[in-house]
Amino acid sequence: MGRIHTRDALLKKHIVELCGAGCPECEARLETPDHLIFACPFACAFWAVLGVDTTGCSTRDLHLFDASATVGPASLYAFSLLCCWHLWKRRNMVVFRRESPSLATTLKACRFRSSEQDHVDAWLRVLCL
Ligand SMILES: [Zn+2]
């Protein structure tokens, strides 16, 4: 919905100047949600490794984002949101910690860990009343 605080939003709120509104990862003049999630070279590589076609995708239409060819219909929305969340978290690591997690590290962050199985089971119990 364009509500995350990418640099274009900070520019609109006069928190940064135009010269500081670019992508922290590449040469894009404006960091927008669409750029961060779908167009930045890192994001493109991320989705390409997963085999997800992001042609024409927009964060405003995230509910229409179709990764079913990769993950099937069962966890389609959770998968998409989880991937977007970790792209956002990675961006924040670049901006605030001056770290640059690799593609492999970002992909690994998207995995459920076996230690989280208890949480998944608890959610399923609650949501399957
Ligand atoms: Zn970029």
Side-chain angles (χ1 to χ4, degrees):
M1 300 303 293
R3 294 183 183 153
I4 61 174
H5 285 165
T6 45
R7 291 183 174 178
D8 67 321
L10 300 178
L11 177 65
K12 288 176 189 165
K13 294 178 179 181
H14 306 286
I15 294 171
V16 298
E17 301 283 328
L18 181 59
C19 62
C23 177
E25 283 284 308
C26 70
E27 300 297 320
R29 291 190 62 229
L30 201 58
E31 182 197 37
T32 65
D34 284 345
H35 176 81
L36 170 69
I37 300 298
F38 296 118
C40 189
F42 185 88
C44 291
F46 176 86
W47 294 115
V49 164
L50 295 175
V52 177
D53 180 11
T54 60
T55 304
C57 289
S58 168
T59 52
R60 291 194 179 274
D61 297 325
L62 205 52
H63 61 289
L64 302 174
F65 182 62
D66 188 2
S68 61
T70 298
V71 294
S75 59
L76 175 60
Y77 299 112
F79 176 79
S80 301
L81 291 174
L82 179 70
C83 289
C84 292
W85 174 246
H86 280 288
L87 286 171
W88 173 245
K89 285 183 68 173
R90 181 190 181 277
R91 177 266 189 201
N92 288 336
M93 291 177 80
V94 170
V95 171
F96 298 116
R97 295 185 184 175
R98 304 205 188 289
E99 296 176 10
S100 191
S102 69
L103 184 57
T105 300
T106 306
L107 290 165
K108 187 175 180 181
C110 294
R111 296 181 194 157
F112 281 111
R113 294 167 190 83
S114 59
S115 63
E116 296 169 327
Q117 187 60 48
D118 290 344
H119 300 287
V120 173
D121 291 343
W123 290 7
L124 290 174
R125 280 192 304 274
V126 169
L127 297 172
C128 294
L129 294 175

